[in-house]
């Protein structure tokens, strides 16, 4: 007879679990779901490259805000001097006004005591002789003229004093607004830097090591680009010397004068290497980027404006291929960073918060980051 038993499923039953077919598939599904659940939060985290870009953007925004802070700070100092000058002027004019008022009071008192009035027929009748009348008339005329002059002086001084008071009031209002801008810019810088520090603090030790490796690769690429520019500049300089060797020109004298000043600026900036970047700082112990270039050229006897977007207009723009030591190299579309070119594709600059004044390739953030090159003297 044929057996009525049901066929046994594939696999064996052990303690109520069928293996390996359905059980293995079920366990695999559970494991995959578990892995997916554990991986979900990690997927929400930005990649290391995204973190690096975000941090760099925050530092750049902080530098831009620093320039706004520097400009507002400089403007505040100028306006405060103007307000102080106006207030001093108002005080002096008020004192003169009081003196003019006292002089008018003395005339009124003198007239009251003497009963003086304009000469008329009564005066003539009271005079003993025609000469007496003439003398009294002359005296009263002089008194009237002096009094009129005192009144005119008083009115004029009063008008000038009121005008100065209005100017002082307007200047005080402008100063208050600029101080508000200064406070806002300062808060913006601090917020950007705090955000950058927070992002970096959330990285693991392994991620920080990878970030350092990425930065090293960027620096190596920048150094290669700088060496290439150095070779191009050397070849161009040699060709120029060969072409102009028999000739003497005023441009040679001009270049020599600039080189002398640039050498002083370069000597100064080299002495600052290793000092910390501090936003808003102009030395001598720390610098921000434009504070460093301003101080360097001041050592050469050249006064540069305080902020990058003013420094970029304080000289002659030259091509990157024609850059000479001492030139200012500006970066980014918003001109938020600047360094001092030292030749061979390299510069000395105050890079960013947490860093120190250092020598670095002008291609440190890629060729597209370079905005322009300016010769300041």
């Amino acid at each position: 007879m044929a057996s009525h038993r049901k066929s046994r499923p594939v696999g064996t039953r052990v303690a109520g679990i069928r293996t390996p077919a359905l059980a293995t598939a079920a366990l695999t599904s559970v494991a995959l779901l578990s892995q997916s659940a554990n991986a979900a939060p990690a997927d929400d985290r930005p990649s290391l490259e995204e973190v690096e870009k975000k941090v760099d953007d925050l530092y750049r925004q902080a530098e831009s805000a620093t320039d706004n802070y520097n400009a507002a700070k400089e403007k505040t100092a100028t306006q405060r001097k103007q307000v102080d000058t106006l207030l001093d002027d108002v005080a002096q004019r008020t004192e003169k006004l009081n003196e003019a008022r006292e002089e008018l009071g003395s005339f009124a008192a003198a007239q009251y005591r003497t009963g003086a009035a304009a000469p008329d027929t009564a005066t003539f009748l009271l005079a003993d002789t025609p000469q007496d009348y003439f003398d009294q008339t002359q005296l009263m005329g002089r008194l009237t003229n002096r009094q009129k002059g005192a009144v005119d002086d008083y009115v004029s001084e009063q008008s000038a004093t009121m005008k100065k008071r209005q100017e002082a009031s307007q200047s005080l209002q402008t100063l208050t607004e600029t101080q508000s801008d200064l406070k806002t810019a300062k808060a913006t810088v601090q917020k950007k830097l705090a955000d950058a520090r927070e992002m970096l603090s959330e990285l693991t030790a392994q991620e920080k090591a990878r970030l350092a490796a990425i930065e090293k690769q960027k620096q190596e690429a920048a150094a290669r680009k700088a060496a290439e520019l150095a070779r191009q500049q050397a070849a161009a300089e040699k060709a120029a010397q060969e072409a102009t060797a028999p000739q003497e020109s005023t441009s040679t004298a001009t270049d020599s004068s600039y080189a002398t000043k640039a050498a002083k600026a370069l000597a100064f900036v080299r002495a600052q290497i290793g000092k910390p970047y501090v936003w808003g700082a102009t030395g001598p112990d720390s610098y921000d980027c434009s504070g460093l270039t301003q101080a360097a050229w001041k050592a050469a006897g050249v006064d540069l404006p305080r902020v990058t977007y003013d420094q970029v207009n304080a000289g002659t723009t030259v091509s990157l291929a024609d850059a000479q030591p001492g030139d200012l190299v500006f970066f980014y579309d918003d001109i938020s960073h600047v360094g001092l070119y030292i030749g061979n594709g390299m510069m000395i600059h105050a890079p960013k918060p947490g860093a120190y004044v250092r020598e670095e390739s002008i291609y440190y953030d890629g060729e597209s980051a370079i905005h322009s090159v300016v010769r300041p003297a």
Side-chain angles (χ1 to χ4, degrees), residues 19-335:
T19 61
L22 294 176
T24 301
L27 288 173
T28 302
S29 298
V30 171
L32 288 173
L33 287 172
S34 177
Q35 289 177 5
S36 299
N38 292 334
D43 291 341
D44 292 337
R45 292 187 62 191
S47 68
L48 196 58
E49 289 75 13
E50 289 172 335
V51 170
E52 181 193 29
K53 184 179 184 307
K54 182 63 176 175
V55 169
D56 286 345
D57 286 345
L58 286 168
Y59 278 140
R60 278 189 52 200
Q61 291 169 24
E63 255 197 321
S64 183
T66 295
D67 259 355
N68 293 334
Y69 170 84
N70 291 337
K73 185 178 180 181
E74 191 174 42
K75 190 176 180 181
T76 298
T78 301
Q79 289 175 346
R80 186 176 286 115
K81 289 179 181 178
Q82 291 174 347
V83 168
D84 289 343
T85 300
L86 284 169
L87 290 176
D88 288 343
D89 195 4
V90 167
Q92 292 173 5
R93 288 183 178 279
T94 301
E95 186 176 351
K96 289 181 180 179
L97 192 61
N98 291 335
E99 292 173 356
R101 185 183 293 112
E102 290 175 3
E103 187 176 4
L104 283 176
S106 67
F107 281 128
Q111 286 180 334
Y112 178 78
R113 287 194 302 271
T114 62
D120 54 15
T121 305
T123 305
F124 175 74
L125 292 174
L126 291 174
D128 294 332
T129 66
Q131 183 63 45
D132 290 340
Y133 175 79
F134 177 79
D135 291 341
Q136 290 180 26
T137 301
Q138 292 299 309
L139 174 63
M140 294 307 298
R142 288 195 297 273
L143 181 62
T144 303
N145 289 336
R146 285 182 61 194
Q147 188 174 7
K148 184 178 183 300
V151 171
D152 290 343
D153 289 345
Y154 177 81
V155 172
S156 176
E157 198 62 48
Q158 186 180 43
S159 176
T161 302
M162 289 179 64
K163 183 178 180 181
K164 287 298 179 181
R165 283 176 179 168
Q166 289 174 351
E167 288 181 18
S169 177
Q170 290 172 353
S171 293
L172 279 170
Q173 182 178 352
T174 302
L175 175 59
T176 301
E177 292 171 355
T178 305
Q179 287 174 327
S180 177
D181 293 342
L182 180 66
K183 184 177 180 180
T184 300
K186 182 177 181 179
T188 301
V189 175
Q190 292 172 328
K191 178 67 167 60
K192 298 298 182 185
L193 296 181
D195 289 346
R197 284 193 294 267
E198 183 178 357
M199 290 196 74
L200 290 173
S201 68
E202 293 174 352
L203 296 178
T204 65
Q206 185 178 7
E207 287 173 330
K208 289 178 180 178
R210 281 182 57 205
L211 199 60
I214 293 172
E215 181 63 25
K216 184 178 180 181
Q217 290 175 353
K218 287 174 61 177
Q219 291 178 354
E220 290 172 348
R224 289 192 295 271
K225 191 72 177 175
E228 180 184 342
L229 177 62
R231 287 192 294 271
Q232 293 173 354
Q233 289 180 329
E237 184 177 355
K238 182 179 179 181
Q241 288 176 346
E242 291 174 350
T244 60
Q247 303 173 359
E248 290 291 335
S249 65
T250 55
S251 63
T252 302
T254 302
D255 290 346
S256 177
S257 173
Y258 178 75
T260 300
K261 293 177 182 178
K264 294 178 181 179
L266 291 169
F268 177 91
V269 79
R270 284 194 173 98
Q272 312 313 307
I273 289 177
K275 293 182 178 180
Y277 175 104
V278 174
W279 64 272
T282 57
D285 299 321
S286 57
Y287 298 90
D288 61 19
C289 66
S290 57
L292 179 65
T293 51
Q294 183 188 46
W297 270 104
K298 186 175 182 180
V302 177
D303 290 327
L304 292 181
R306 175 65 182 93
V307 296
T308 53
Y309 50 77
D310 286 333
Q311 288 186 4
V312 76
N313 296 316
T316 304
T317 301
V318 298
S319 68
L320 184 58
D322 293 329
Q324 295 181 16
D327 290 350
L328 303 175
V329 185
F330 295 91
F331 298 87
Y332 311 116
D333 292 339
D334 60 356
I335 319 175

